[in-house]
Amino acid sequence: MNDFSFEVETRFAFKNKYEAMKALPFLKECLNHEIEWTTKTFGPQLFESDILLRVSSVKSKNNCKYYIGYKEKDMGSFCNIRLELDEDMTNGLKNSKILYKLGIHDEHISIDNIENILIKNGYKDFMYFEGKSMLGRHLKHDLSLKLMECEYIKYPLLLEIEKKAYSPEEAVVLEDEIRSFVRLFKLTDKVIREEPPLLLYKRNN
């Protein structure tokens, strides 16, 4: 069963894939799963409080999955550190922990009704973007990798790196590990601390 955990992540802006591969040669070997995705963000009142609520589709070669996602306020200094949960509602979902946290109970959700349920409870959709990503892992540094192409935001090519923690204390330790990784590969001038939804918001407002 999915449960809340802490994402610890940052991202880097590159002009093109060649520049990214030159900076981090292991990317060519590690990035091995291609997806197309869409994301709608809900609840402008949550967004203004630095809380993210989204509904996403993720399409790969063989299937398409649908998720509801929730991220609490950023607690990081160098990285983004957020308590987060993504719930798979592709085949329907009962007893959503995310909806429970929002004060919405006893709903069976699916991609067919989730938007109406959120809007009915005061969480209207107000941002949309889509793109393509290459996913993978770098085992030596225990990093999840996402090379994201998205024309909707200021930086059309971003590389996100992420670690997962299960307590605030562990998240701080992992943040230091990512800081050391950035220094090791001399990527400080490439760091973009603003997350894609905020980049989208700033571009549109």
Side-chain angles (χ1 to χ4, degrees):
M1 180 180 295
N2 288 342
D3 210 342
F4 285 90
S5 60
F6 291 89
E7 67 168 8
V8 185
E9 71 176 15
T10 193
R11 61 209 56 79
F12 315 102
F14 294 103
K15 295 177 183 177
N16 50 53
K17 291 181 181 179
Y18 173 79
E19 185 185 33
M21 302 289 181
K22 185 177 179 181
L24 297 168
F26 60 77
L27 290 179
K28 187 174 182 180
E29 179 180 321
C30 294
L31 294 172
N32 51 27
H33 182 56
E34 185 173 4
I35 62 169
E36 297 178 2
W37 52 268
T38 69
T39 296
K40 276 188 178 181
T41 305
F42 290 77
Q45 71 276 34
L46 295 177
F47 188 81
E48 290 172 3
S49 300
D50 195 30
I51 295 172
L52 302 176
L53 176 63
R54 68 189 181 195
V55 171
S56 303
S57 70
V58 179
K59 184 179 180 181
S60 60
K61 185 177 181 179
N62 298 318
N63 60 25
C64 185
K65 290 185 172 293
Y66 300 97
Y67 299 90
I68 180 172
Y70 176 89
K71 298 186 180 188
E72 292 199 342
K73 293 181 180 182
D74 188 358
M75 304 183 301
S77 55
F78 180 77
C79 294
N80 307 110
I81 300 177
R82 293 181 183 269
L83 189 66
E84 70 165 356
L85 177 62
D86 284 300
E87 294 179 311
D88 186 345
M89 57 180 184
T90 307
N91 299 313
L93 176 66
K94 294 181 68 175
N95 302 319
S96 164
K97 294 180 180 180
I98 293 173
L99 291 193
Y100 185 84
K101 196 167 187 64
L102 296 172
I104 305 171
H105 307 297
D106 301 322
E107 293 278 11
H108 184 278
I109 62 172
S110 69
I111 192 57
D112 296 320
N113 68 4
I114 184 58
E115 293 190 20
N116 287 336
I117 290 171
L118 293 175
I119 292 169
K120 180 180 71 176
N121 284 275
Y123 302 104
K124 68 177 182 178
D125 61 302
F126 68 104
M127 287 197 302
Y128 171 90
F129 59 149
E130 61 185 51
K132 298 180 180 180
S133 297
M134 291 294 296
L135 309 179
R137 285 195 60 79
H138 189 252
L139 297 179
K140 180 179 179 181
H141 291 279
D142 192 26
L143 289 170
S144 294
L145 307 168
K146 181 196 295 181
L147 188 63
M148 183 177 82
E149 297 178 78
C150 179
E151 297 295 334
Y152 287 65
I153 59 179
K154 181 178 179 180
Y155 307 99
L157 186 67
L158 287 173
L159 174 69
E160 290 191 349
I161 62 172
E162 179 180 343
K163 290 175 176 277
K164 182 179 288 189
Y166 295 94
S167 71
E169 295 78 15
E170 183 185 10
V172 172
V173 172
L174 297 184
E175 182 180 44
D176 285 338
E177 291 180 6
I178 290 180
R179 183 186 285 109
S180 296
F181 175 91
V182 171
R183 290 172 180 163
L184 176 65
F185 287 94
K186 299 180 173 59
L187 293 171
T188 302
D189 63 337
K190 297 288 187 184
V191 171
I192 306 297
R193 198 179 183 286
E194 296 167 313
E195 296 153 294
L198 181 56
L199 292 172
L200 176 63
Y201 182 83
K202 285 188 171 183
R203 186 167 187 176
N204 293 340
N205 293 274

